[in-house]
Amino acid sequence: MPEGDCTTYRAKYGTAVSESEAEALVTGICFKTGPPRITGVELEWLIHEPHRLHLPVSPARLEAAYAALRALPLHSLITVEPGGQLELSSLPAASLMECVSAVSADLSLVRDRLATLDLTLTGLGADPWRPPSRILHRPRYDAMECYLDRTGPAGRRMMCSTASVQICLDAGHEEPGPLGYGRRWRLAHLLGPVLVAAFANSPVQDGRSTGWRSTRQAVWASIDPGTSGAPSMEAEPRAAWARHALDAPVMFIRGEDDGHDAPWTVPEGLTFRTWARSGGPRPPTRDDLDYHLTTLFPPVRPRGHLELRMVDAQPGADGWIVPLAVTSALFDDPQAAETAYRTVKPLAERACPPGAPAAPRSPLWLDAARHGLADPELRESAAACFAAAADALPRMGASAEVRDAVAAYAERYVARGRCPADDLLDGHRDGHHYDHEHEKGILR
């Protein structure tokens, strides 16, 4: 490329990155190690009129509601998913209780403001009645929809009709041991199916039972594996993720003028590695690499910290606290982390057997989504993990309310081999559209 063209290119797109530079960048940023001390949570919610979850809310009304919410004095970041789901992302917190207190206060403000607009939030992993309908029409989502449509309708469901509790934890120590990043990475993938099963909360779609306790997880398992699959568990985590990220398909290439107006290209069969090697249709930049990483949605995503993405949105105003508390305890308390790892280690034969697809399509992940805690092995593992978490929470400074919520959840669901989806299925079989007692949740 002539010097003049290089100068123009850098001004418009930034400095190009080679394959080796891209791999080094991903390796350097995916696991930022240090003593585990930061906790965060990202909560997605369905939004609708009270007691009228089956009715759509107009885009104009949703936009007005989101404008009102953005004017609130919140600690958390408010964003909107393509189908209008509301997402509340906490700031990094120094402790579990700091995170719980800040997000609870924000949610109280959000719910009060929505009530004045005759709207409310509901925690369900998948919309049980309304078909997927995208309200955000931006270049990113236009291109994403085009890309995901190539493998079927699940992509639109994922974008527009699902909601989750995403738990964010530090990557861990550089050194080995129960809090080392290698152990935490493996624990996340083995514990993941247990969390899917214990908190499954999306058994209905289009008004019908789907046969899955977590339809949300089934949807994720149905989209393009290059986008939603996990890397190999056998290799060193940094190397495995860097290789996986570069070998993943490029979902789209942003248009000119920062992509605000120009259409985005949706290539076929182009991995980031191939793009870096070939340089076409234009050489990729560091910004392109960073953006590419945001289009990868495995069950556990390393973003410097670990983002656990497998838990369905939970019922009740405070139902999200239980998976956050249990997961934080099992990762950040050394004794609980060791117990959890010993408990789930035998699950590896089903979670990632040789020759089988990676999570979330491996046998154990699919069984967790379909059967929940009716699966005996998952039920046994969940019981041991909840007990270890309950033992750890006092050491972590958890309040009596949080400890009681975890204990109540364990008694109501885990000990009985049930999950919130079973409550919904009971109501569905009885002919009820939606069990509002279910939405009251555990914290009362």
Side-chain angles (χ1 to χ4, degrees):
M1 184 182 296
E3 180 61 31
D5 292 344
C6 288
T7 302
T8 302
Y9 179 87
R10 285 195 295 269
K12 181 179 290 187
Y13 299 112
T15 304
V17 292
S18 66
E19 177 188 356
S20 60
E21 289 169 335
E23 193 149 10
L25 284 167
V26 176
T27 301
I29 64 176
C30 57
F31 294 89
K32 296 179 180 177
T33 54
R37 58 187 176 82
I38 297 295
T39 301
V41 69
E42 299 175 15
L43 305 177
E44 296 171 345
W45 303 87
L46 305 181
I47 187 167
H48 56 94
E49 293 182 4
H51 309 293
R52 302 178 75 184
L53 179 56
H54 59 290
L55 295 181
V57 180
S58 72
R61 192 174 173 194
L62 287 173
E63 288 296 338
Y66 298 139
L69 295 180
R70 291 188 181 101
L72 294 174
L74 303 178
H75 295 91
S76 304
L77 174 67
I78 279 190
T79 53
V80 181
E81 294 298 302
Q85 311 96 305
L86 181 74
E87 181 172 3
L88 207 65
S89 302
S90 75
L91 295 176
S95 69
L96 167 65
M97 287 312 303
E98 181 181 310
C99 183
V100 168
S101 297
V103 176
S104 296
D106 285 347
L107 274 171
S108 180
L109 291 175
V110 167
R111 289 183 181 276
D112 288 348
R113 186 68 183 93
L114 286 176
T116 68
L117 304 172
D118 196 30
L119 293 171
T120 191
L121 302 176
T122 287
L124 284 168
D127 196 310
W129 287 292
R130 298 176 296 188
S133 178
R134 187 158 59 92
I135 71 163
L136 295 185
H137 295 278
R138 299 172 183 168
R140 174 183 172 96
Y141 298 125
D142 292 345
M144 182 181 290
E145 183 178 277
C146 178
Y147 173 86
L148 293 171
D149 278 351
R150 291 171 178 167
T151 53
R156 294 193 185 205
R157 291 275 183 189
M158 177 273 286
M159 292 173 65
C160 301
S161 301
T162 62
S164 68
V165 174
Q166 298 178 18
I167 300 158
C168 301
L169 302 167
D170 274 347
H173 288 290
E174 188 71 26
E175 299 78 16
L179 299 185
Y181 80 93
R183 171 72 69 84
R184 286 162 75 88
W185 176 246
R186 188 165 180 81
L187 173 61
H189 287 86
L190 295 178
L191 182 65
V194 178
L195 298 177
V196 169
F199 297 108
N201 187 38
S202 52
V204 177
Q205 178 179 284
D206 297 330
R208 298 183 297 273
S209 172
T210 63
W212 298 83
R213 293 320 199 269
S214 177
T215 301
R216 173 185 170 273
Q217 194 64 30
V219 166
W220 279 99
S222 298
I223 69 173
D224 170 39
T227 297
S228 63
S232 168
M233 289 295 100
E234 303 309 313
E236 193 280 329
R238 287 192 177 104
W241 177 250
R243 183 165 56 249
H244 179 79
L246 265 64
D247 289 336
V250 174
M251 187 175 286
F252 40 67
I253 298 174
R254 291 174 293 170
E256 298 182 13
D257 302 321
D258 296 325
H260 294 304
D261 300 310
W264 295 15
T265 304
V266 184
E268 288 201 55
L270 178 70
T271 67
F272 198 93
R273 189 183 304 280
T274 303
W275 187 13
R277 286 176 177 175
S278 68
R282 60 169 175 79
T285 67
R286 170 65 187 270
D287 285 346
D288 289 320
L289 176 62
D290 291 342
Y291 214 85
H292 171 67
L293 296 177
T294 72
T295 67
L296 304 181
F297 308 115
V300 184
R301 184 163 64 174
R303 305 184 66 186
H305 59 276
L306 298 181
E307 183 181 82
L308 279 67
R309 305 172 51 86
M310 70 286 297
V311 176
D312 280 359
Q314 294 298 288
D318 302 307
W320 57 274
I321 293 175
V322 176
L324 173 64
V326 169
T327 307
S328 297
L330 296 178
F331 275 80
D332 290 348
D333 180 85
Q335 183 176 330
E338 187 63 33
T339 299
Y341 186 71
R342 289 200 307 269
T343 297
V344 300
K345 189 176 180 181
L347 298 177
E349 293 183 7
R350 291 172 64 194
C352 42
R361 296 166 188 78
S362 70
L364 185 63
W365 282 80
L366 294 177
D367 286 344
R370 185 179 295 279
H371 303 298
L373 292 185
D375 182 291
E377 194 173 17
L378 287 169
R379 177 180 180 177
E380 182 179 353
S381 295
C385 287
F386 267 74
D391 185 59
L393 286 171
R395 296 192 292 269
M396 298 175 64
S399 68
E401 185 179 30
V402 169
R403 299 197 307 271
D404 290 347
V406 171
Y409 194 97
E411 180 180 358
R412 179 175 175 177
Y413 294 117
V414 179
R416 301 167 61 197
R418 289 174 62 88
C419 57
D422 292 304
D423 292 346
L424 287 170
L425 288 172
D426 290 346
H428 191 73
R429 294 186 190 102
D430 292 339
H432 300 303
H433 276 304
Y434 182 69
D435 181 3
H436 290 282
E437 290 299 311
H438 172 83
E439 180 57 21
K440 291 180 181 177
I442 280 293
L443 286 179
R444 299 172 187 264

